[in-house]
């Protein structure tokens, strides 16, 4: 579960692979986001744009444009399930963890909404690399600064 920065929307993800965006004030579901093939493991709203980031056991991280309710980018974590992810507070980096001995790091480049074309991505992601971990156990929770 995750709330947006205003606290008016809540996102939930579950074993059925669906993400539901809820209206907290109206106490109703707004819409479902479908695209993952495995259970949802983590969710995060981006404050700068109307974008939701989701991770799943299907090995993918998806970026959703909530204005169009469609996935505009899919990041792969190799062959490893993504158990947790976190976006830096300045929203310039995304870190994902699995059950391997490394964390994968992506840069997030926000596009100027006034200058982008309709088919342009809201956020462009680039894999920067991997950071080694001391343990090889499953990552339960990541909290970026």
């Amino acid at each position: 579960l995750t709330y947006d920065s205003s606290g008016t929307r809540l996102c939930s993800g579950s074993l059925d692979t669906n993400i539901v965006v809820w209206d907290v004030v109206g106490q109703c579901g707004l819409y479902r986001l479908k695209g993952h093939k495995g259970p949802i493991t983590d969710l995060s709203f981006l404050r700068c744009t109307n974008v939701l980031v989701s991770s799943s056991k299907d090995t993918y991280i998806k970026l959703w444009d909530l204005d169009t309710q469609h996935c505009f980018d899919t990041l792969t974590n190799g062959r490893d399930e993504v158990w947790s992810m976190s976006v830096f507070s300045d929203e310039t980096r995304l870190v994902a963890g699995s059950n391997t001995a490394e964390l994968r790091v992506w840069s997030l480049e926000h596009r100027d909404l006034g200058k982008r074309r309709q088919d342009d991505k809201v956020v462009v992601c680039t894999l920067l690399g991997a950071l080694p971990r001391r343990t090889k156990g499953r990552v339960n929770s990541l909290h970026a600064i």
Side-chain angles (χ1 to χ4, degrees), residues 52-119:
L52 178 73
V53 183
S54 63
S55 65
S56 170
K57 287 179 147 187
D58 64 5
T59 74
Y60 298 120
I61 297 169
K62 292 187 175 282
L63 286 87
W64 305 87
D65 183 337
L66 297 180
D67 291 330
T68 63
Q69 301 172 24
H70 287 92
C71 174
F72 67 87
D73 204 356
T74 301
L75 312 177
T76 183
N77 196 47
R79 294 180 303 204
D80 303 308
E81 298 173 341
V82 182
W83 282 94
S84 184
M85 58 145 189
S86 186
V87 176
F88 282 27
S89 60
D90 64 1
E91 297 186 351
T92 60
R93 300 285 185 269
L94 168 69
V95 179
S98 60
N99 59 352
T100 64
E102 65 183 24
L103 300 173
R104 287 191 171 218
V105 183
W106 287 266
S107 69
L108 302 177
E109 179 190 343
H110 298 266
R111 295 295 171 117
D112 182 358
L113 295 177
K115 295 181 181 177
R116 75 179 180 107
R117 294 186 307 263
Q118 188 173 7
D119 58 343

Side-chain angles (χ1 to χ4, degrees), residues 123-144:
V123 178
V124 175
C125 302
T126 305
L127 179 64
L128 297 177
L131 298 172
R133 295 176 47 221
R134 291 186 181 192
T135 62
K136 199 174 180 176
R138 183 178 81 166
V139 172
N140 291 320
S141 181
L142 285 173
H143 299 283

